[in-house]
């Protein structure tokens, strides 16, 4: 990544208004865990793109990348705003909606998050992450059977999805415990 970052710095030095270089530099910095520096680069990319005549390109991705960097440094409100902007620009991208949903969960806005996951699944029924995330909300609401169905779909799509497997096992245990409790005679 160091070589890539050096190349992006040269590109920026050659043309300080070239927003894609800032975005790509942010991606490389994020990959190294340098989220604060990545945030600066993504912010610059958005500012330059907005200032430009908007003659092509996909700055929804820059908003998404900035949101991802904010998320990694636990700036969840700012992450959600960037994910919302990415969705506003490119509402047909399931990954943008899934990430917005995850941020909304962290903000305690589960109903809004569930809507984003459902919309992501309408756009891409094979999005394992959206199935898993929706299943988590459903299980917290006590809709265990629906949750199991979405966990199962996530695992069908991505069989090595260990988090989905673990969470589904936890829900199955809750179901088993509830059934066992109902079958016991009242003790009093």
């Amino acid at each position: 990544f160091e070589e890539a970052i050096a190349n992006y710095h040269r590109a920026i030095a050659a043309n300080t208004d070239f927003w894609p270089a800032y975005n790509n530099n942010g991606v490389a910095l994020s990959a190294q865990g340098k989220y604060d520096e990545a945030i600066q680069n993504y912010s610059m990319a958005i500012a330059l793109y907005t200032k430009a005549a908007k003659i092509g390109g996909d700055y929804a991705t820059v908003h998404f990348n900035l949101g991802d960097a904010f998320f990694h440094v636990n700036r969840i409100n700012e992450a959600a705003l960037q994910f919302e902007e990415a969705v506003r620009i490119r509402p047909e991208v399931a990954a943008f909606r899934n990430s917005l949903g995850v941020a909304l969960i962290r903000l305690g806005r589960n109903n809004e998050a569930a809507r984003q996951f459902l919309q992501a699944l309408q756009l891409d029924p094979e999005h394992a992450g959206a199935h898993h995330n929706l299943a988590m909300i459903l299980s917290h609401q006590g809709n265990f059977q629906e949750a199991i169905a979405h966990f199962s779909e996530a695992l069908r799509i991505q069989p090595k999805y260990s988090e989905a497997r673990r969470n589904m096992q936890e829900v199955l245990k809750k179901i088993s415990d509830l059934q066992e409790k109902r079958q016991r005679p009242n003790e009093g």
Side-chain angles (χ1 to χ4, degrees):
F1 287 108
E2 293 301 328
E3 184 178 334
I5 291 171
N7 287 333
Y8 297 133
H9 282 237
R10 282 193 287 279
I12 290 167
N15 181 357
T16 57
D17 289 336
F18 187 55
W19 69 267
Y22 287 97
N23 178 61
N24 294 341
N25 195 41
V27 170
L29 290 164
S30 286
Q32 292 184 316
K34 297 177 181 177
Y35 297 109
D36 290 329
E37 291 176 62
I39 288 167
Q40 291 172 356
N41 278 266
Y42 294 138
S43 297
M44 181 61 85
I46 289 170
L48 290 171
Y49 187 91
T50 303
K51 184 177 120 182
K54 296 185 182 179
I55 52 171
D58 178 8
Y59 83 121
T61 301
V62 183
H63 284 285
F64 176 79
N65 291 340
L66 179 57
D68 191 55
F70 279 138
F71 192 88
H72 278 89
V73 294
N74 208 32
R75 291 168 62 178
I76 307 304
N77 280 320
E78 292 158 296
L81 290 173
Q82 294 304 317
F83 293 144
E84 285 172 348
E85 185 64 10
V87 167
R88 185 190 67 74
I89 297 165
R90 299 275 313 276
E92 75 281 4
V93 179
F96 293 174
R97 290 186 176 280
N98 184 63
S99 291
L100 174 56
V102 172
L104 292 170
I105 287 174
R106 292 277 303 274
L107 294 172
R109 295 161 53 187
N110 289 357
N111 290 336
E112 292 173 69
R115 281 193 295 278
Q116 290 301 322
F117 299 137
L118 287 168
Q119 288 176 332
L121 290 170
Q122 286 177 341
L123 294 165
D124 180 5
E126 298 292 304
H127 196 295
H131 278 291
H132 173 262
N133 295 328
L134 181 57
M136 292 300 296
I137 289 175
L138 292 167
S139 70
H140 287 294
Q141 293 173 339
N143 297 327
F144 299 130
Q145 295 304 324
E146 282 184 72
I148 293 297
H150 282 284
F151 284 131
S152 295
E153 264 306 284
L155 289 166
R156 181 192 63 76
I157 296 162
Q158 197 174 327
K160 294 183 180 182
Y161 198 159
S162 60
E163 187 178 2
R165 187 171 310 286
R166 183 183 69 248
N167 288 329
M168 184 168 79
Q169 288 170 346
E170 288 176 15
V171 171
L172 288 169
K173 180 161 178 16
K174 283 181 189 177
I175 292 170
S176 175
D177 290 349
L178 285 171
Q179 289 172 342
E180 186 178 309
K181 188 175 181 180
R182 286 185 194 133
Q183 291 174 354
R184 282 192 222 137
N186 271 345
E187 298 172 8

